Amino acid sequence: MTEATTIGLDLAKNVFQAHGADAAGAPVFRKKLRRDQVLAFFAAQPPCVVAMEACPGAHHWGREIGRLGHAVKLIAPAYVKPFVKRQKNDAADAEAICEAAQRPTMRFVAVKSEAKQAAAAIFRARDVLVGQRTQLINALRGHLAEYGLIAPQGPAHIERLIAQIEDPDSGIPPAARACLAVLVGTLRHLQEQTAALDAEIAARAKADETARRLMSVPGIGPLIATAIEALAPPTGTFRSGRDFAAWVGLTPVQRSTGGKERLGRTSRMGERTLRRLLIIAASAVVRWAKRKGVPSDSWLGRMLARKPPMLVIVAVANKNARIAWALLTKGGVYRAPAVTA
């Protein structure tokens, strides 16, 4: 019987689907596997390429199957979809994964180690807490606006509204005040938890030599430095800093045709947490530059003189991403270029 050189595995909670193909791409087998049968099945297979979609659980199965001697490759789901023929089902998905993995130009996702995933968990948890905090702040603003109480935008100004809730002479009905006090208590608890995670991230950055080198870049602090280490794939995955910035999603979408180059808004591909942090930090750099001033012949000064602020912010974030890739790849610390008089 012909042996499979590539196996496409469609992951699921309980019932998995495997599709084996030989070197020519011809089907060798199609098999359903229960969750407790997966490792035993692959242990019985000769060493081959096992491909899966990069989805929740893929890195776990990638590590487990890799220990059995197979070469594991993860593929972004968007790259698998074009290979699905007509009907959408588990067997068709497994076949599409297998076929996509055999393409010579296919791009793969590196399998993350348990330590890498553990390092990223703190950022995922922080994102959840920040999202819940924003929801509570918006809820408080909406409720108090019904009584004519408003405050400027931004989390820093929410204390004005909280003071109104806690003031018995503010005119808020007692029934509403009791309910809003519950939201305030939850908000303060979330703020404490977020601050604790921020302190943990800062401690990690201080103890890590690579993070300290990344923090030498203007606009990269402890949060971004540790996020780059935890969330970004190995630097060898990218040929250049430009490729890394494109993976983060800080390059424009191309819709070029007929020899005419058409560039749109930023692609927003890749790691959205890292992209958001880089843009927030870049906006702070641009605000500081506009308030304090920068040399007119510097790169940032020339950009501010001829480009809209948001475009400059994205350009600064893009530049910081490329500098971070260079520091991770080549070592050293950031040295600001000399400005000629």
Side-chain angles (χ1 to χ4, degrees), residues 235 238-241 244 320-330:
T235 55
F238 309 100
R239 294 175 299 177
S240 65
F244 177 66
N320 285 344
R322 289 185 280 117
I323 293 173
W325 178 87
L327 293 181
L328 290 173
T329 305
K330 303 176 183 179

Side-chain angles (χ1 to χ4, degrees), residues 7 26 30 42 50 104 122 127 143 148-149 206 218 240 276 282 298 310 312:
I7 299 176
R30 297 181 178 89
F42 281 102
V50 179
I122 190 170
D127 281 348
H143 287 304
L149 301 174
K206 185 177 180 180
S240 65
R276 184 179 68 253
S298 65
M310 193 61 214
V312 178

